[in-house]
Amino acid sequence: MRTTSKIASVALGSAVLLPFLGAGVAQAADGSTMATLRPVALNGVKGSGTAMVTVNGTRIDVTMAANGLLPDAPHAAHIHFGADARHECPVAGDDAKGDGTINTTDGGPAYGPIVVSLTKTGDTSPKSGLAVDRFDTAPGGKINYERGSINVSSGVAQAITEGKAVVVVHGVDHNNDGKYDGTTKSDLDPSLPTEATDPAICGVLNAAPAGGMDTGAGGTSTPNNEGMLLLGGGLLMAAVGTGAFTARKARNRV
Amino acid sequence: MSDITKSGGRRGSIAAAVTVVLLVVGGFLVAKSFSGTDAPPQPDAAQSAPSVTPAPSSSPPSPTSSPTSATGKTAAPSTADFGPIMGPSAPVSLKIPSIGVDTKGIVDLGLDKSGKLQAPTDFGRAGWYANGPTPGEFGPAVIGAHVDSKSGPAVFYRLGSLKKGATVSVARKDGSTARFVVDRVARYSKADFPTMTVYGDTKGRAELRLITCGGAFDQSTGHYVDNIVAFAHLTS
Ligand SMILES: [Cu+2]
């Protein structure tokens, strides 16, 4: 009888545990990632920012803040990833044409193609990469962007958690005239000047720290003090004993 | 008779000497266990509950900043309202007046193979997670320091006694100062550490995490079993 109920409770216990174990395995790659966005080499932007991407299976939540961008102009923003890319932000050496700036073609070998378009509304696929009417226009040069539940492929989700995806915000006012212009056309869309699509700030999404921190060697810890208190107390008790013995001896002498 | 008295007297004086030694050593140990090497303070439950803070906003709410403002300069509905944010600049020193922290020479910290944030090698220095946002930037900037060394208190010895509303200021390389106010101080088991809560998305605020050790000290591993984490947000 007792055995039966034991078996039953073990079986019940496993049944209850199993779904949790399953969930644990499925979410093994989930996590929080961050990118510190810094000016792209050669493009002379003074801006910066932070992007945070939380991965839940094949769903991602994104928040991003940036400043120092060209105000009141659309800033295309993407998550880039390419299996063959270097998974980093472009460097001066990526300026293939030697024209002194980094354009989208120059950025390719560093961060790969667009995998997510960080639009404010609607589609977030690479197809919306230049949907200029749906990107943040950086009022005052600032972007405050928040968008949850963006669906991505499992490959992209994995690239993000493995530190291989790169966040890029585009739009550089090279000639400082307050708008996107100039005779050089964009590599991505010849109807736009290259200023509108050149990468401005960039950062690799890296896993945030996980778990606690070992920040103590125990020199002031409680167990030490308890030990000290116990030992000290014990010695004092012993002193009472030997003291009594001394007193008795002294009395005997009289 | 005299022999007995003598030997009894000698035993008596030995016992007296032993008594004195026991009193001195025992008294010293008891006093020491209650003195300067007290166990580090731990946050109480009232400090770990989130304080009621207003929604992130770059300026105090006022009638003129309502969405129906006549200026017509209101943000698009989909633009999130983030709080004050500074540009990037690495931290150089940290001051927490209410618990007597004033530490210079903040070192860079990285992650170990398991993804855990490494502690400063110097017990007298605080360190910051150099691959994360700098203090004042959007996101959770992280500063960690030891609670104690093998011999006594270290930089964050009193972090557990930090209170909600206390101010924390971080001087930065560019000469600016990031000022934070403490939202809460909590103690978490390292075995069940809330990674997302501590290092995850801060939903539009520039925040700061101050981390040290807490709880019991496990002699077998040489580490404390808990972490104390103070959460703060940028005010200016
Ligand atoms: Cu892009």
Side-chain angles (χ1 to χ4, degrees), chain B residues 68-153:
Chain B
T68 53
S69 164
T71 63
K73 287 200 115 186
T74 47
S78 58
T79 301
D81 187 13
F82 286 28
I85 289 170
M86 303 168 81
S89 183
V92 293
S93 66
L94 167 73
K95 276 188 187 161
I96 316 173
S98 66
I99 57 167
V101 171
D102 184 353
T103 184
K104 293 174 180 66
I106 296 179
V107 298
D108 290 0
L109 303 178
L111 304 182
D112 68 15
K113 276 181 197 148
S114 67
K116 275 169 65 176
L117 192 54
Q118 287 175 317
T121 49
D122 186 339
F123 289 97
R125 297 273 182 113
W128 75 291
Y129 178 45
N131 274 330
T134 65
E137 276 193 285
F138 167 59
V142 182
I143 294 179
H146 289 279
V147 66
D148 62 13
S149 64
K150 283 202 169 77
S151 58

Side-chain angles (χ1 to χ4, degrees), chain A residues 32 36 38 48 50 54 63 144 146 209-222 224-225 229 232 235 242-243 245-246, chain B residues 15-16 19 33 37 39 80 82 88 115-116 119 137-138 146-150 190 193 195 199-201 212-213 217 219 224 227:
Chain A
S32 193
T36 49
R38 299 293 181 256
S48 63
T50 310
T54 308
T63 51
N144 290 335
E146 208 167 355
M213 218 179 154
D214 290 327
T215 40
T220 68
S221 63
T222 310
N224 275 3
N225 279 352
L229 184 60
L235 293 181
T242 56
F245 179 77
T246 312
Chain B
T19 304
S33 73
T37 49
F82 286 28
K116 275 169 65 176
E137 276 193 285
F138 167 59
H146 289 279
V147 66
D148 62 13
S149 64
K150 283 202 169 77
K190 287 181 188 172
F193 192 82
T195 290
Y199 303 117
D201 200 333
T212 197
C213 277
F217 188 76
Q219 300 285 354
Y224 281 91
N227 274 122

Side-chain angles (χ1 to χ4, degrees), chain A residues 58-214:
Chain A
T58 55
R59 229 190 55 223
I60 62 170
D61 298 330
V62 180
T63 51
M64 177 169 67
N67 56 27
L69 298 164
L70 175 64
D72 305 311
H75 289 275
H78 315 116
I79 298 174
H80 287 251
F81 165 69
D84 306 332
R86 304 198 307 267
H87 319 310
E88 59 185 41
C89 292
V91 295
D94 286 314
D95 176 18
K97 282 188 294 184
D99 60 1
T101 65
I102 298 287
N103 66 13
T104 52
T105 304
D106 295 333
Y111 51 61
I114 297 167
V115 290
V116 178
S117 297
L118 299 174
T119 54
K120 295 202 289 183
T121 56
D123 176 60
T124 54
S125 76
K127 278 182 286 183
S128 296
L130 288 178
V132 288
D133 54 330
R134 287 188 286 122
F135 285 108
D136 203 300
T137 53
K142 291 181 185 171
I143 288 178
N144 290 335
Y145 175 85
E146 208 167 355
R147 188 153 181 192
S149 299
I150 297 174
N151 289 309
V152 297
S153 71
S154 57
V156 168
Q158 192 181 345
I160 293 170
T161 55
E162 287 177 352
K164 294 174 179 172
V166 181
V167 172
V168 183
V169 179
H170 300 259
V172 182
D173 183 20
H174 288 294
N175 60 0
N176 295 309
D177 64 354
K179 56 178 186 287
Y180 297 143
D181 57 7
T183 49
T184 314
K185 298 302 172 203
S186 166
D187 287 4
L188 289 181
D189 180 350
S191 74
L192 295 170
T194 194
E195 283 195 346
T197 61
D198 283 356
I201 55 175
C202 171
V204 179
L205 285 167
N206 280 308
M213 218 179 154
D214 290 327

Side-chain angles (χ1 to χ4, degrees), chain B residues 124-218:
Chain B
R125 297 273 182 113
W128 75 291
Y129 178 45
N131 274 330
T134 65
E137 276 193 285
F138 167 59
V142 182
I143 294 179
H146 289 279
V147 66
D148 62 13
S149 64
K150 283 202 169 77
S151 58
V155 178
F156 274 177
Y157 178 69
R158 293 178 65 194
L159 192 68
S161 66
L162 188 63
K163 298 280 182 281
K164 283 183 204 177
T167 57
V168 176
S169 59
V170 180
R172 313 191 318 157
K173 218 169 193 169
D174 65 2
S176 64
T177 300
R179 290 183 180 81
F180 299 86
V181 61
V182 175
D183 296 316
R184 59 199 179 96
V185 185
R187 193 174 79 177
Y188 300 114
S189 161
K190 287 181 188 172
D192 190 24
F193 192 82
T195 290
M196 291 290 223
T197 307
V198 178
Y199 303 117
D201 200 333
T202 56
K203 295 294 172 199
R205 293 207 299 190
E207 299 196 359
L208 181 67
R209 309 282 182 257
L210 303 170
I211 304 178
T212 197
C213 277
F217 188 76
D218 184 341

